[in-house]
Amino acid sequence: MSEHKHEHHILSIKTAGIILGLLLLLTAITVGVSRINLGFLNVAVAMTLATTKALLVILFFMHMKYESRFMQAIVFMCFLILAIFIGFTFFDVAYR
Amino acid sequence: MSNHVHKDYAGAKLGMWLFLFTEVLLFGGMFVLYSAYFHEYPREFHIGGKQLDVVIGTLNTVVLLLSSFSIAAAITYIQQGKKKLALIYTYLTIGAAFIFLVNKTIEWRAKFHHGIWPDSPHLRELSHGENIFFGLYFLMTGLHALHVIIGMVVLSVMVYFLKKDVINQQDFVKLENAGLYWHIVDLIWIFLFPLFYLVL
């Protein structure tokens, strides 16, 4: 079955190592930036860096980059729903 | 062909992801709670966050990132048919989980020592916002730690399956799904860390 071979992508140890390096680097930046007072920007920077780290984990460690379009769409929907959930709560909280 | 066992690889993966979505939404609800209270008590959350140990928090972040790498490596090795390396890296992941829990215990014990636990007499004397901050801290890191413990149990079962060749080069979806669970534990910590230890 040739199609069976196609559905398993093997993440190379080298790629995994590069991703680990990036994650550690982003962690160092997160901690470093938090020591500088930027006011509200601090929260924005911290969340942007955390989201970037999360994306790296999902795409590479969790193989999402190599999954079918169907699976990618489902995962995207899940996080979209979470974003709507948090976003709409803030329409209430922030403008009360 | 008579003893052919039907395996649905895509179905197994999809089922795991659907379960993980419930986990994401469980923590998502608490993240909403956190952000709503952070909006209300930014100053108190800042004071609360300053009392947490950034060194232990950072160390645990590094430990979890290393463990995410090691379980991903274990999956790569079993896919390449290197059973021994897959076993070693699964053991390393369990070891990292254990180190995480030891750090967490040290951290929590220090907090208890300072009279800080959910709704403790000491916290009730402080501002309402600080009390809420520590309440959320114990709830969210506690639930996360429970997931770490469950992850250790799941990974230990995977060690047994690897040894018994239930998981092998042809059939590794169990290890992949256990890995996905472990990555979600890491993913949640990636957000918990800046929200609690680095708040400004």
Side-chain angles (χ1 to χ4, degrees):
Chain A
M1 278 223 290
S2 61
E3 63 166 275
H4 193 74
K5 284 238 180 323
H6 276 288
E7 62 184 70
H8 301 300
H9 173 273
I10 300 180
L11 183 75
S12 77
I13 296 292
K14 196 182 149 202
T15 309
I18 292 168
I19 298 303
L20 174 66
L22 283 172
L23 287 169
L24 292 174
L25 180 71
L26 287 170
T27 304
I29 295 172
T30 307
V31 176
V33 170
S34 76
R35 302 295 97 181
I36 311 162
N37 196 345
L38 303 168
F40 174 74
L41 258 183
N42 273 108
V43 180
V45 170
M47 284 304 103
T48 308
L49 287 170
T51 308
T52 311
K53 283 165 76 180
L55 264 173
L56 286 174
V57 171
I58 292 170
L59 285 177
F60 294 95
F61 284 169
M62 298 175 94
H63 293 207
M64 198 35 71
K65 190 171 184 284
Y66 317 104
E67 293 287 353
S68 65
R69 286 255 174 255
F70 173 66
M71 286 281 282
Q72 289 174 343
I74 283 187
V75 173
F76 178 74
M77 281 296 286
C78 170
F79 288 102
L80 184 70
I81 288 167
L82 184 67
I84 292 170
F85 177 28
I86 294 176
F88 273 58
T89 307
F90 261 82
F91 283 145
D92 183 87
V93 172
Y95 299 108
R96 190 172 276 257
Chain B
M1 275 308 274
S2 59
N3 58 355
H4 174 78
V5 184
H6 175 71
K7 297 270 184 191
D8 186 352
Y9 175 81
K13 272 287 202 56
L14 180 62
M16 191 64 199
W17 270 105
L18 288 176
F19 165 65
L20 294 183
F21 296 160
T22 69
E23 293 277 36
V24 168
L25 291 178
L26 167 69
F27 278 94
M30 280 183 284
F31 280 120
V32 166
L33 201 59
Y34 176 97
S35 37
Y37 277 122
F38 183 39
H39 186 267
E40 188 140 349
Y41 302 106
R43 242 181 57 80
E44 289 84 350
F45 270 46
H46 175 64
I47 296 166
K50 280 276 164 281
Q51 291 172 56
L52 295 180
D53 194 328
V54 183
V55 177
I56 287 191
T58 309
L59 192 68
N60 264 351
T61 306
V62 172
V63 167
L64 275 194
L65 291 176
L66 286 171
S67 74
S68 249
F69 166 81
S70 63
I71 196 63
I75 292 162
T76 298
Y77 283 128
I78 198 66
Q79 287 173 326
Q80 294 172 346
K82 296 168 185 162
K83 179 184 165 184
K84 206 166 172 198
L85 278 167
L87 258 174
I88 290 171
Y89 276 87
T90 307
Y91 277 129
L92 284 174
T93 311
I94 297 171
F98 183 72
I99 293 170
F100 180 92
L101 288 174
V102 169
N103 283 336
K104 192 96 268 167
T105 310
I106 292 170
E107 195 186 350
W108 275 32
R109 275 181 67 110
K111 287 283 156 299
F112 293 156
H113 194 72
H114 289 108
I116 296 172
W117 59 84
D119 211 31
S120 65
H122 173 65
L123 277 182
R124 257 179 282 157
E125 283 170 19
L126 299 175
S127 65
H128 195 47
E130 256 182 275
N131 197 352
I132 289 174
F133 176 82
F134 281 107
L136 283 171
Y137 162 75
F138 282 110
L139 175 67
M140 290 173 83
T141 61
L143 191 68
H144 178 264
L146 181 67
H147 279 76
V148 173
I149 294 167
I150 295 168
M152 281 177 82
V153 173
V154 170
L155 289 172
S156 303
V157 174
M158 293 309 128
V159 165
Y160 174 79
F161 281 163
L162 276 166
K163 283 186 172 169
K164 293 279 170 197
D165 281 323
V166 174
I167 296 171
N168 52 55
Q169 190 174 6
Q170 275 73 46
D171 184 7
F172 44 77
V173 75
K174 286 187 182 69
L175 187 64
E176 273 194 298
N177 281 347
L180 285 176
Y181 183 83
W182 190 252
H183 292 308
I184 279 283
V185 172
D186 185 27
L187 223 53
I188 290 160
W189 184 259
I190 284 174
F191 286 97
L192 286 182
F193 172 59
L195 286 178
F196 282 103
Y197 295 82
L198 308 173
V199 274
L200 274 145

